mmCIF file of all heavy atoms in Angstrom:
data_model
loop_
_atom_site.group_PDB
_atom_site.id
_atom_site.type_symbol
_atom_site.label_atom_id
_atom_site.label_comp_id
_atom_site.label_asym_id
_atom_site.label_seq_id
_atom_site.Cartn_x
_atom_site.Cartn_y
_atom_site.Cartn_z
ATOM 1 N N ARG A 63 -0.455 3.946 -5.498
ATOM 2 C CA ARG A 63 0.988 4.008 -5.277
ATOM 3 C C ARG A 63 1.357 5.028 -4.216
ATOM 4 O O ARG A 63 2.229 4.802 -3.384
ATOM 5 C CB ARG A 63 1.727 4.315 -6.576
ATOM 6 C CG ARG A 63 3.240 4.338 -6.457
ATOM 7 C CD ARG A 63 3.904 4.582 -7.780
ATOM 8 N NE ARG A 63 3.685 3.476 -8.695
ATOM 9 C CZ ARG A 63 4.425 2.374 -8.694
ATOM 10 N NH1 ARG A 63 5.423 2.234 -7.810
ATOM 11 N NH2 ARG A 63 4.194 1.418 -9.547
ATOM 12 N N ASP A 64 0.664 6.162 -4.211
ATOM 13 C CA ASP A 64 0.906 7.174 -3.192
ATOM 14 C C ASP A 64 0.692 6.589 -1.787
ATOM 15 O O ASP A 64 1.442 6.861 -0.853
ATOM 16 C CB ASP A 64 -0.003 8.377 -3.372
ATOM 17 C CG ASP A 64 0.296 9.140 -4.660
ATOM 18 O OD1 ASP A 64 1.472 9.200 -5.045
ATOM 19 O OD2 ASP A 64 -0.663 9.632 -5.271
ATOM 20 N N HIS A 65 -0.379 5.813 -1.655
ATOM 21 C CA HIS A 65 -0.696 5.219 -0.362
ATOM 22 C C HIS A 65 0.429 4.320 0.144
ATOM 23 O O HIS A 65 0.946 4.508 1.248
ATOM 24 C CB HIS A 65 -1.994 4.419 -0.464
ATOM 25 C CG HIS A 65 -3.248 5.234 -0.383
ATOM 26 N ND1 HIS A 65 -3.704 5.781 0.795
ATOM 27 C CD2 HIS A 65 -4.141 5.591 -1.329
ATOM 28 C CE1 HIS A 65 -4.828 6.429 0.563
ATOM 29 N NE2 HIS A 65 -5.107 6.336 -0.708
ATOM 30 N N PHE A 66 0.781 3.292 -0.647
ATOM 31 C CA PHE A 66 1.722 2.334 -0.079
ATOM 32 C C PHE A 66 3.162 2.873 -0.046
ATOM 33 O O PHE A 66 3.967 2.436 0.769
ATOM 34 C CB PHE A 66 1.617 0.963 -0.768
ATOM 35 C CG PHE A 66 2.105 0.846 -2.151
ATOM 36 C CD1 PHE A 66 3.451 0.925 -2.491
ATOM 37 C CD2 PHE A 66 1.199 0.588 -3.192
ATOM 38 C CE1 PHE A 66 3.883 0.791 -3.792
ATOM 39 C CE2 PHE A 66 1.631 0.441 -4.502
ATOM 40 C CZ PHE A 66 2.989 0.563 -4.792
ATOM 41 N N GLU A 67 3.489 3.814 -0.918
ATOM 42 C CA GLU A 67 4.814 4.437 -0.807
ATOM 43 C C GLU A 67 4.935 5.269 0.462
ATOM 44 O O GLU A 67 6.024 5.319 1.075
ATOM 45 C CB GLU A 67 5.077 5.306 -2.028
ATOM 46 C CG GLU A 67 5.420 4.500 -3.281
ATOM 47 C CD GLU A 67 5.799 5.383 -4.462
ATOM 48 O OE1 GLU A 67 5.605 6.604 -4.359
ATOM 49 O OE2 GLU A 67 6.277 4.835 -5.466
ATOM 50 N N MET A 68 3.848 5.895 0.896
ATOM 51 C CA MET A 68 3.910 6.625 2.151
ATOM 52 C C MET A 68 4.059 5.669 3.341
ATOM 53 O O MET A 68 4.774 5.960 4.303
ATOM 54 C CB MET A 68 2.632 7.465 2.316
ATOM 55 C CG MET A 68 2.624 8.328 3.579
ATOM 56 S SD MET A 68 4.004 9.472 3.657
ATOM 57 C CE MET A 68 3.595 10.583 2.308
ATOM 58 N N ILE A 69 3.398 4.507 3.261
ATOM 59 C CA ILE A 69 3.548 3.504 4.323
ATOM 60 C C ILE A 69 4.981 2.985 4.343
ATOM 61 O O ILE A 69 5.584 2.813 5.415
ATOM 62 C CB ILE A 69 2.566 2.348 4.109
ATOM 63 C CG1 ILE A 69 1.129 2.846 4.240
ATOM 64 C CG2 ILE A 69 2.821 1.220 5.114
ATOM 65 C CD1 ILE A 69 0.081 1.804 3.879
ATOM 66 N N GLU A 70 5.549 2.746 3.189
ATOM 67 C CA GLU A 70 6.923 2.297 3.128
ATOM 68 C C GLU A 70 7.872 3.326 3.744
ATOM 69 O O GLU A 70 8.770 2.971 4.529
ATOM 70 C CB GLU A 70 7.331 2.056 1.674
ATOM 71 C CG GLU A 70 6.677 0.851 1.034
ATOM 72 C CD GLU A 70 6.989 0.753 -0.444
ATOM 73 O OE1 GLU A 70 7.143 1.795 -1.104
ATOM 74 O OE2 GLU A 70 7.082 -0.384 -0.953
ATOM 75 N N LYS A 71 7.667 4.572 3.426
ATOM 76 C CA LYS A 71 8.544 5.633 3.901
ATOM 77 C C LYS A 71 8.380 5.878 5.394
ATOM 78 O O LYS A 71 9.380 6.017 6.122
ATOM 79 C CB LYS A 71 8.258 6.936 3.134
ATOM 80 C CG LYS A 71 9.097 8.108 3.570
ATOM 81 C CD LYS A 71 8.735 9.349 2.767
ATOM 82 C CE LYS A 71 9.533 10.567 3.227
ATOM 83 N NZ LYS A 71 9.177 11.776 2.434
ATOM 84 N N SER A 72 7.133 5.949 5.882
ATOM 85 C CA SER A 72 6.912 6.346 7.267
ATOM 86 C C SER A 72 6.937 5.202 8.270
ATOM 87 O O SER A 72 7.099 5.430 9.463
ATOM 88 C CB SER A 72 5.551 7.061 7.365
ATOM 89 O OG SER A 72 4.499 6.178 7.000
ATOM 90 N N VAL A 73 6.840 3.961 7.759
ATOM 91 C CA VAL A 73 6.818 2.821 8.701
ATOM 92 C C VAL A 73 7.914 1.818 8.392
ATOM 93 O O VAL A 73 8.813 1.589 9.192
ATOM 94 C CB VAL A 73 5.445 2.111 8.703
ATOM 95 C CG1 VAL A 73 5.435 0.963 9.685
ATOM 96 C CG2 VAL A 73 4.332 3.090 9.035
ATOM 97 N N ILE A 74 7.844 1.198 7.217
ATOM 98 C CA ILE A 74 8.767 0.097 6.908
ATOM 99 C C ILE A 74 10.211 0.561 6.895
ATOM 100 O O ILE A 74 11.089 -0.037 7.545
ATOM 101 C CB ILE A 74 8.391 -0.552 5.559
ATOM 102 C CG1 ILE A 74 6.992 -1.116 5.641
ATOM 103 C CG2 ILE A 74 9.404 -1.636 5.210
ATOM 104 C CD1 ILE A 74 6.500 -1.729 4.324
ATOM 105 N N SER A 75 10.495 1.645 6.171
ATOM 106 C CA SER A 75 11.882 2.124 6.090
ATOM 107 C C SER A 75 12.319 2.808 7.393
ATOM 108 O O SER A 75 13.436 2.600 7.851
ATOM 109 C CB SER A 75 12.007 3.119 4.922
ATOM 110 O OG SER A 75 11.746 2.474 3.699
ATOM 111 N N GLN A 76 11.436 3.603 7.956
ATOM 112 C CA GLN A 76 11.804 4.348 9.168
ATOM 113 C C GLN A 76 12.181 3.439 10.324
ATOM 114 O O GLN A 76 13.110 3.711 11.072
ATOM 115 C CB GLN A 76 10.664 5.280 9.583
ATOM 116 C CG GLN A 76 10.956 6.098 10.834
ATOM 117 C CD GLN A 76 9.878 7.119 11.117
ATOM 118 O OE1 GLN A 76 9.067 7.432 10.259
ATOM 119 N NE2 GLN A 76 9.827 7.599 12.349
#
Side-chain angles (χ1 to χ4, degrees):
R63 182 177 295 276
D64 294 325
H65 278 286
F66 70 71
E67 284 185 349
M68 183 58 69
I69 296 173
E70 290 174 327
K71 179 181 178 180
S72 62
V73 181
I74 299 178
S75 297
Q76 180 174 342

